[in-house]
Amino acid sequence: MGFEILLEKISKEIDGLNKEVALPKVMATLKEEVFHYDWVGIYELTADEKGLSLGPYVGKATDHTYIPVGKGVCGQVAEKNISMIVQDVSQEDNYIACSMDVQSEIVVPIKKGDRFVAQIDIDSHAYAPFTSDDQSFLEKVAALLSVYY
């Protein structure tokens, strides 16, 4: 399924749903529909804005339920409020390993206006699978999800 069609599907799936139903549904749809998305989750900015708290996710269980802002790829995205693609996590100095299977990661901020509020975090067991198309698509999904914040 192409990204534009998948974006349409996601938009229709969450229309009229509350946050508690919509976010898990989107995470599941992303993991099911995109072959190289092996772990898909949301991290939300904590009330004190010093960390990220794990929200809904689909994939193997993780011990990383809290990530300080600035630490790892997720923490850097929270700090800089920009998308990041890491094609080879073994080359990232500030990487927080969630699983030995993870080879690459993409993290896209969810913004309320220009303010960072949460992020979509996706791990892949494949080396370098992410393209600018993934980033563009996920930024559009993040924009859809921003209404829940």
Side-chain angles (χ1 to χ4, degrees), residues 2-146:
F3 283 143
E4 288 305 316
I5 294 168
L6 183 52
L7 185 65
E8 228 175 273
K9 176 182 178 177
I10 289 169
S11 181
K12 287 177 184 170
E13 277 183 349
I14 64 173
D15 187 36
L17 298 180
N18 66 28
K19 180 181 178 181
E20 290 69 29
V21 177
L23 294 184
K25 183 179 270 298
V26 172
M27 297 306 100
T29 298
L30 290 172
K31 185 172 185 318
E32 288 166 13
E33 297 291 343
V34 184
F35 178 75
H36 57 280
Y37 293 4
D38 294 301
W39 189 96
V40 181
I42 297 272
Y43 279 95
E44 298 177 329
L45 190 62
T46 57
D48 65 6
E49 298 190 358
K50 292 182 180 179
L52 301 165
S53 179
L54 181 61
Y57 71 92
V58 179
K60 286 184 181 177
T62 179
D63 292 336
H64 300 115
T65 58
Y66 177 84
I67 298 172
V69 169
K71 300 293 182 189
V73 178
C74 290
Q76 290 176 67
V77 168
E79 186 174 62
K80 298 174 184 173
N81 199 14
I82 58 168
S83 299
M84 282 183 70
I85 295 175
V86 178
Q87 299 288 21
D88 180 356
V89 296
S90 71
Q91 300 302 306
E92 182 69 26
D93 291 338
N94 194 7
Y95 182 68
I96 299 171
C98 291
S99 160
M100 295 303 291
D101 298 327
V102 177
Q103 301 227 358
S104 54
E105 181 173 19
I106 184 170
V107 183
V108 174
I110 299 172
K111 303 175 186 184
K112 193 68 172 176
D114 288 336
R115 196 175 139 263
F116 175 89
V117 292
Q119 62 190 216
I120 300 170
D121 177 24
I122 298 178
D123 295 339
S124 180
H125 298 166
Y127 170 77
F130 300 116
T131 68
S132 58
D133 290 341
D134 290 278
Q135 181 175 331
S136 176
F137 163 67
L138 291 169
E139 287 172 351
K140 291 173 186 170
V141 172
L144 283 177
L145 298 182
S146 70

